[in-house]
């Protein structure tokens, strides 16, 4: 019998088939990670083809021998029946896996894991060993987060977590207990971990204290005098027990999750701190060094993606780093794997898929703050203001640090009463934060209550002392009211600004509104000379400079700048540059070039409201100039302006749109809507002469 099996080559055929199945399973496993397919795909693939083994064995026995033979109907029916049974087994397993997944998700959503804020340890080592403080924080965080019942935030957390924008208050240096408790409460952490460390060679002396933050109470003191790995293991066990948390998850040694190469670990921790300090050249150098020492260092590869896109805007290169990091996904925290997969879609400019994945993640893990904040940042990036507000209202119930952001979104949507109420409640909760008073004044000014706004701003100025924030805001108030002579002394004093990007851009914008473009241009040039390491800073400064030239009808200079920008930056920045180019061509009344850009933008960004905004506005303006005001273009533009929170924009293009939209409403006999629009626009921007003239003409 065995001799006959050998003669019919059954073993060779079955062995070859099993090798083929194994190869296909390996390939499907790679595809699932590379293209964000279901993690069950490799298992389903293996089950289906292994259950076909009876048919393969039968066919091999009957047709494996040398020579010609014929197929019988019995054999064909056997294959068909085997295929049906295999398909049934596959469907059953898939259905059971889906139900299991639902149960797991439901369980994970039933309560929110506690959040621990780790403040950098006080360093008692010499300068050469000081980096161990950050390295220990990283290793402890990675070890703790293997447990699904614990979440950790620290200054050494991955830059990919938008949650760090809320946790950006987490310091990169040791703070005293009072400051640490304040910081932990600010990011809604229930627990705080702080302490001190002294390292000499392979020996580490560590003392940690675990506190609850509300109320403040010491839970446990811990200490260890051993190797780093042993200390991390000991503290992980102590913290888990102190918080009465059951261990659910993997339990790899911390160094296996990060890197066993100490030199690479040092480069990585210092590189990550350099990203926090915006020292991107230094960060890239350190992170590349870390990867050269350990090519499977997943965290370092992921951070290289962040530093590269921030420094150069090169999303293709960043995508390569992310793909390499995901090859070692088993070394990464679960949430970071999800975030990297969404980053892949972002770097590949597949924004609709990125949104779908983020919304799916948020839906499955309804209590996962990482999922919510990543989705929130996506909505904000693409100016989906209504969705941003809805999610912020949910998030701010448990994470109070987002209430200020919610108030700003209310302002963008023109819901001034809600913004005013929220800012007032925030100021009542934190009366030492006097900048809230300045924001309350801003809501009154937008509402047309100028006297009340100035009174509150005077009060904020007394409390804040010499504040650039108050002077900037007051100058804006004066310019909107047409009180240019009052604004000029403030701007002159602000011209000694510290040189930061935000202050400089705000100051230059004020000079543009004051119709002093030469001064604005000098400020932009001054900012350019500072050589910011952030690609987005340089892009914004150059774009504003181009628009300033365009507003003064120096269109060729403006075009030269945007042409240089489009040649310098890759796809990631092109959509922004195209909007600036369209802005310029609309001001220049260059219809053919503007319509070419409108068509290009609409073809590329069908699903992104914020990218289509400029296209709709320009269409409405050009139609209006020709006396053919189309309801479709102007109504669509106004809807996008409202949805993206741009009705209070001071941009020259938006001011021009306000004028033509008001004319559209009047020419279409929409008197009540025209009245409301004119009142709202003039309340925010009373010195806009064209709108004022239009209102007077309407009254006549």
């Amino acid at each position: 019998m065995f001799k006959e099996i050998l003669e019919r080559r059954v073993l060779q055929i079955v062995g070859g088939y099993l090798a083929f199945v194994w190869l296909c399973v390996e390939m499907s496993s790679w595809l699932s990670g590379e293209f964000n397919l279901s993690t069950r795909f490799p298992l389903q693939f293996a089950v289906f083809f292994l259950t076909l083994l009876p048919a393969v064995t039968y066919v091999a026995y009957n047709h494996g021998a040398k020579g010609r033979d014929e197929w019988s109907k019995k054999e064909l029916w056997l294959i068909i029946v085997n295929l049906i049974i295999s398909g049934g087994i596959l469907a059953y397993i898939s259905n059971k896996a889906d139900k299991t997944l639902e149960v797991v998700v439901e369980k994970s959503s039933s309560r929110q894991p506690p959040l621990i804020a780790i403040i950098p340890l006080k360093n008692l080592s010499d300068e050469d060993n000081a980096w161990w403080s950050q390295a220990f924080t990283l290793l402890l965080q990675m070890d703790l987060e293997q447990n699904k019942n614990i979440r950790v935030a620290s200054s050494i957390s991955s830059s990919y977590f938008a949650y760090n924008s809320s946790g950006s208050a987490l310091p990169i240096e040791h703070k005293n207990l009072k400051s640490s408790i304040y910081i932990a409460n600010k990011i809604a952490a229930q627990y705080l971990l702080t302490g001190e460390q002294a390292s000499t060679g392979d020996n580490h002396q560590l003392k940690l204290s675990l506190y609850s933050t509300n109320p403040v109470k010491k839970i446990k003191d811990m200490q260890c005098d051993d190797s780093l790995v042993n200390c991390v293991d000991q503290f992980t066990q102590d913290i888990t027990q102190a918080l009465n948390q059951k261990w659910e998850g993997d339990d790899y040694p911390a160094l296996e999750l990060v890197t066993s190469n100490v030199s690479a670990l040092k480069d990585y921790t210092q590189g990550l701190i350099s990203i926090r300090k915006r020292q991107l050249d230094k960060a890239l150098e350190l992170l590349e060094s870390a990867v050269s020492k350990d090519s499977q260092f997943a965290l370092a590869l992921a951070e290289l993606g962040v530093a590269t896109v921030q420094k150069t805007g090169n999303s293709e290169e960043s995508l390569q780093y992310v793909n390499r990091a995901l090859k070692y996904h088993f070394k990464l925290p679960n949430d970071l794997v999800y975030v990297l997969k969404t980053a892949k879609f972002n770097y590949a400019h597949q924004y609709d898929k990125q949104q779908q994945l983020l919304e799916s993640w948020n839906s499955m893990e309804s209590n996962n703050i990482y999922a919510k904040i990543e989705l929130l940042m996506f909505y904000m990036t693409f100016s989906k203001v209504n969705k941003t507000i809805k999610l912020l209202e949910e998030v701010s119930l448990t994470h109070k640090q987002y209430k200020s952001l919610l108030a700003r979104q209310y302002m963008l949507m023109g819901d001034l009463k809600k913004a005013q109420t929220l800012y007032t409640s925030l100021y009542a909760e934190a009366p030492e934060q006097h900048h809230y008073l300045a924001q309350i004044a801003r809501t009154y000014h937008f509402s047309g209550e100028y006297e009340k706004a100035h009174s509150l701003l005077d009060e904020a100025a007394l409390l804040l002392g010499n504040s650039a924030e108050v002077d900037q805001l007051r100058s804006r108030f004066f310019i909107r009211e047409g009180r240019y002579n009052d604004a000029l002394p403030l701007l002159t004093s602000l011209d000694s600004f510290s040189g930061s990007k935000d202050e400089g851009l705000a100051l230059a914008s004020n000079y543009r509104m004051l119709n002093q473009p030469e001064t604005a241009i000098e400020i932009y040039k001054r900012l350019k000379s500072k050589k910011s390491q952030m690609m987005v800073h340089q892009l914004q400064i150059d774009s504003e400079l181009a628009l300033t030239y365009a507003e003064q009808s120096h269109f060729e200079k403006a075009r030269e700048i945007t042409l240089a920008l489009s040649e310098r930056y890759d796809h990631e920045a092109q959509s922004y540059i195209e909007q600036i180019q369209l802005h310029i061509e609309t001001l220049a009344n260059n219809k053919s070039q503007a319509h070419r850009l409108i068509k290009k933008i609409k073809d590329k960004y069908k699903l992104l409201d914020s990218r289509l905004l400029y296209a709709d506005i320009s269409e409405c303006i050009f139609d209006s100039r020709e006396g053919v005001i189309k309801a479709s273009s102007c109504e669509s533009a106004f809807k996008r302006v409202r949805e993206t929170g741009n009705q209070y924009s001071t941009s020259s293009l938006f001011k021009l749109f306000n004028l033509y939209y008001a004319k559209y409403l009047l020419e279409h006999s929409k008197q009540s809507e025209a009245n409301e629009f004119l009142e709202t626009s003039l309340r925010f921007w009373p010195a806009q002469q064209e709108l004022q003239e239009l209102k007077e003409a309407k009254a006549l």
Side-chain angles (χ1 to χ4, degrees), residues 115-120 169-171 174-194 209-219:
L115 177 64
I116 305 172
I118 304 182
I119 302 299
L170 287 168
H174 179 74
K175 297 288 181 183
N176 61 41
L177 181 60
K178 184 177 179 181
S179 297
S180 299
I181 291 291
Y182 173 77
I183 291 164
N185 277 315
K186 193 172 180 182
I187 65 165
Q190 292 90 348
Y191 300 97
L192 168 72
L193 194 62
T194 186
S209 295
L210 180 66
Y211 294 86
S212 62
T213 57
N214 194 13
V216 178
K217 180 182 178 183
K218 183 182 286 189
I219 297 175

Side-chain angles (χ1 to χ4, degrees), residues 597-611:
L597 285 164
I598 288 169
K599 184 178 186 305
K600 185 178 181 181
I601 289 169
K602 288 198 168 187
D603 287 345
K604 283 170 68 176
Y605 306 110
K606 294 176 183 177
L607 298 176
L608 299 175
D609 291 347
S610 60
R611 305 291 170 92

Side-chain angles (χ1 to χ4, degrees), residues 509 512-513 543-544 546-553 555 579-580 582-588 614 617-618 621 625 646 648-660 685 688 690:
S509 174
R512 283 164 64 186
M513 290 189 287
S543 299
E544 294 296 329
L547 290 177
T548 307
Y549 281 125
E551 287 163 3
Q552 301 307 305
S553 300
F555 299 116
Q579 290 177 50
I580 300 300
L582 180 55
H583 190 152
I584 292 166
E585 300 306 335
T586 304
L587 294 178
Y614 276 63
I617 285 177
S618 294
I621 290 172
R625 282 171 173 165
N646 278 290
Y648 295 141
S649 173
T650 56
S651 158
S652 52
L653 188 67
F654 286 91
K655 288 166 68 177
L656 193 60
F657 169 71
N658 283 347
L659 177 65
Y660 283 113
W685 195 255
Q688 192 169 346
E690 298 90 345

Side-chain angles (χ1 to χ4, degrees), residues 65-230:
K66 295 180 180 179
R68 295 184 62 183
D69 49 27
E70 294 182 0
W71 287 75
S72 66
K73 289 185 178 180
K74 179 182 177 182
E75 291 169 339
L76 292 175
W77 276 109
L78 178 65
I79 293 171
I80 291 170
V81 169
N82 200 160
L83 281 169
I84 292 171
I85 292 172
S86 297
I89 292 171
L90 179 63
Y92 173 76
I93 288 175
S94 299
N95 185 52
K96 187 173 182 181
D98 286 336
K99 288 181 178 178
T100 303
L101 179 63
E102 289 170 11
V103 172
V104 170
V105 169
E106 188 177 343
K107 283 183 179 179
S108 68
S109 302
S110 60
R111 65 183 183 87
Q112 189 167 337
L115 177 64
I116 305 172
I118 304 182
I119 302 299
L121 306 184
K122 183 178 181 180
N123 177 49
L124 302 178
S125 308
D126 57 31
E127 190 175 338
D128 290 339
N129 288 296
W131 67 275
W132 280 110
S133 172
Q134 297 289 0
F136 171 75
T137 301
L138 169 68
L139 292 170
L140 183 59
Q141 176 171 357
M142 293 290 287
D143 206 36
L144 282 169
E145 286 199 327
Q146 292 186 85
N147 186 350
K148 297 175 182 177
N149 295 320
I150 293 176
R151 294 196 184 281
V152 180
S154 76
S155 59
I156 208 79
S157 296
S158 170
S159 303
Y160 275 94
F161 287 125
Y163 184 63
N164 262 341
S165 63
S166 71
S168 60
L170 287 168
I172 56 177
E173 295 175 352
H174 179 74
K175 297 288 181 183
N176 61 41
L177 181 60
K178 184 177 179 181
S179 297
S180 299
I181 291 291
Y182 173 77
I183 291 164
N185 277 315
K186 193 172 180 182
I187 65 165
Q190 292 90 348
Y191 300 97
L192 168 72
L193 194 62
T194 186
E196 60 186 38
Q197 68 89 28
S199 299
T200 52
D202 293 332
N203 187 261
H204 304 271
Q205 295 176 326
L206 295 142
K207 294 180 180 180
L208 298 186
S209 295
L210 180 66
Y211 294 86
S212 62
T213 57
N214 194 13
V216 178
K217 180 182 178 183
K218 183 182 286 189
I219 297 175
K220 189 176 182 65
D221 283 323
M222 299 162 278
Q223 64 180 39
C224 179
D225 185 356
D226 203 340
S227 70
L228 193 66
V229 173
N230 290 342

Side-chain angles (χ1 to χ4, degrees), residues 330-341:
F330 56 89
K331 293 186 173 185
L332 299 170
N334 229 12
D335 290 325
L336 182 54
V337 172
Y338 238 119
V339 173
L340 287 176
K341 286 181 178 180

Side-chain angles (χ1 to χ4, degrees), residues 614-626:
Y614 276 63
D616 283 341
I617 285 177
S618 294
E619 271 192 320
C620 176
I621 290 172
F622 277 106
D623 289 343
S624 302
R625 282 171 173 165
E626 295 174 0

